Amino acid sequence: MRLQLFSLLLVFFSLPSFANIGDMPKEQQLAVRYIKALTSQDYAKLTSFYNRDSVFNDRTASRKYTGKRHILSFLKRAHKGVLEYDFNIEHMFNSGSLVILIGNYHYRGPGEQFGKPGRIIDLAIPGVTTLNLDMTNNRVKEHQDLMDYQTMSDQLSTQ
Amino acid sequence: MRLQLFSLLLVFFSLPSFANIGDMPKEQQLAVRYIKALTSQDYAKLTSFYNRDSVFNDRTASRKYTGKRHILSFLKRAHKGVLEYDFNIEHMFNSGSLVILIGNYHYRGPGEQFGKPGRIIDLAIPGVTTLNLDMTNNRVKEHQDLMDYQTMSDQLSTQ
């Protein structure tokens, strides 16, 4: 009984601040739709979020791509064969068209790209994603990631 | 008894990943020393972290200062009369000289600057601070803040 109550409390604390996506500021709504297209690898939907000036910047990996074509080609390469991919957003806020998402990226998939060939690996990488949005055209002007690759590497070492 | 155990668990979960500051990467150690100088308003110490090229950038407030002199004058103005000021770091990581700190800035002080003259206000503002460090000279090249001012404004409305 106590455990159930505790679990229930945990569920409440895990819920986002907004009960309904429609209650969120429109910038955060667009951000969530974009992140969903990204993590569900819906490239048909994802393509509408970028134009030739869009920038995808992983600052912690010093990796930067400009333009829809280069970004999509990178994402397709990076997420090849992935089994599960989602972003657990723990906190989100915005200042105008700048949206900040804090949480962890969960990844389950082939270990080839992580030096673990033939194995299925499971990662939860803490990260901060900052989106600079163009609200007139529903586009992502800049997607910037700050990822805790040390935690990723610690998780990989035991898999 | 159960409550004590629960509190104890909370304390464990609140502890940073490193038991000792000496076990942290040197970039994170420098970041923590800098944040301590900043939040304890130790301007004599703080001045050694900046040079004329240092940048202090609050992206969510579109406020940017360049150079030791302008940064310090802004900070002294912003923190005038403050009673308590600290950054509760919930997660910290780095990629080389880029250090990311996630947590909340706790502030207790006069409400004048927040439209609450004559009152003492208490705030805990979620935020992400990114520090670009010069490890050779122990300097902050760029301090960038992303602050959840909506949460701050919600907290202010009830005080």
Side-chain angles (χ1 to χ4, degrees):
Chain A
M1 175 57 203
R2 269 168 200 276
L3 202 66
Q4 279 175 339
L5 186 68
F6 184 61
S7 308
L8 199 67
L9 278 173
L10 272 183
V11 168
F12 277 120
F13 283 121
S14 309
L15 282 177
S17 334
F18 297 93
N20 194 312
I21 190 170
D23 298 334
M24 296 194 300
K26 61 186 192 311
E27 293 86 357
Q28 294 188 27
Q29 293 185 33
L30 183 64
V32 167
R33 283 202 303 274
Y34 164 70
I35 292 290
K36 272 200 181 139
L38 176 74
T39 53
S40 63
Q41 297 156 273
D42 185 342
Y43 295 111
K45 214 172 257 173
L46 202 53
T47 191
S48 74
F49 285 100
Y50 302 123
N51 68 9
R52 62 169 61 193
D53 297 319
S54 297
V55 172
F56 190 103
N57 184 7
D58 184 344
R59 276 187 81 189
T60 31
S62 302
R63 219 166 23 183
K64 195 170 175 173
Y65 300 92
T66 303
K68 184 196 292 226
R69 205 164 57 89
H70 290 113
I71 296 171
L72 287 174
S73 122
F74 159 68
L75 291 175
K76 284 178 187 170
R77 210 164 58 237
H79 301 149
K80 209 179 153 186
V82 69
L83 300 170
E84 285 170 30
Y85 180 42
D86 34 52
F87 185 23
N88 302 310
I89 302 168
E90 283 154 21
H91 191 66
M92 171 166 54
F93 57 95
N94 72 299
S95 167
S97 56
L98 187 69
V99 185
I100 292 95
L101 304 105
I102 304 168
N104 64 80
Y105 280 92
H106 169 235
Y107 172 91
R108 210 172 88 83
E112 268 75 11
Q113 298 189 49
F114 302 91
K116 303 271 175 181
R119 284 198 218 165
I120 295 295
I121 54 154
D122 212 309
L123 300 167
I125 315 167
V128 178
T129 291
T130 308
L131 302 175
N132 196 346
L133 301 173
D134 167 359
M135 292 307 295
T136 311
N137 301 301
N138 291 333
R139 289 236 166 79
V140 174
K141 278 154 80 172
E142 193 186 7
H143 171 143
Q144 187 187 273
D145 280 340
L146 297 164
M147 307 289 281
D148 182 354
Y149 288 119
Q150 184 56 51
T151 292
M152 182 184 90
S153 148
D154 291 347
Q155 289 174 10
L156 276 173
S157 70
T158 59
Q159 298 189 43
Chain B
M1 174 58 202
R2 269 169 202 276
L3 201 67
Q4 279 177 337
L5 187 68
F6 185 62
S7 309
L8 198 66
L9 278 172
L10 272 184
V11 168
F12 277 121
F13 284 121
S14 310
L15 281 176
S17 334
F18 299 93
N20 195 311
I21 190 171
D23 298 334
M24 296 195 298
K26 61 186 190 312
E27 293 86 356
Q28 295 188 27
Q29 293 185 33
L30 184 63
V32 168
R33 283 202 303 276
Y34 165 70
I35 292 290
K36 273 201 182 140
L38 176 73
T39 53
S40 63
Q41 298 156 274
D42 185 341
Y43 296 110
K45 215 174 256 172
L46 202 52
T47 190
S48 74
F49 285 101
Y50 303 123
N51 67 11
R52 62 171 61 194
D53 297 319
S54 297
V55 172
F56 190 103
N57 184 6
D58 183 342
R59 277 185 81 190
T60 31
S62 303
R63 217 163 29 181
K64 195 171 174 173
Y65 301 92
T66 302
K68 183 196 293 223
R69 206 164 56 90
H70 291 114
I71 298 171
L72 286 175
S73 123
F74 158 69
L75 292 175
K76 283 178 188 172
R77 211 165 55 237
H79 301 148
K80 209 179 154 186
V82 68
L83 299 171
E84 285 170 31
Y85 180 42
D86 34 54
F87 185 23
N88 302 309
I89 301 168
E90 282 155 22
H91 191 66
M92 171 166 55
F93 57 95
N94 72 298
S95 167
S97 55
L98 187 70
V99 185
I100 293 95
L101 304 106
I102 303 168
N104 64 81
Y105 280 91
H106 169 235
Y107 172 91
R108 209 171 89 83
E112 267 75 11
Q113 300 189 47
F114 301 92
K116 303 272 175 182
R119 283 197 219 167
I120 294 297
I121 54 154
D122 212 310
L123 301 167
I125 315 167
V128 178
T129 292
T130 308
L131 301 174
N132 196 347
L133 301 173
D134 167 0
M135 292 306 295
T136 311
N137 301 301
N138 291 333
R139 289 236 166 78
V140 173
K141 279 155 78 174
E142 193 185 8
H143 172 144
Q144 187 187 272
D145 279 340
L146 298 164
M147 308 289 281
D148 182 353
Y149 289 118
Q150 184 55 52
T151 293
M152 181 183 91
S153 147
D154 291 348
Q155 289 174 10
L156 276 174
S157 69
T158 60
Q159 299 188 41

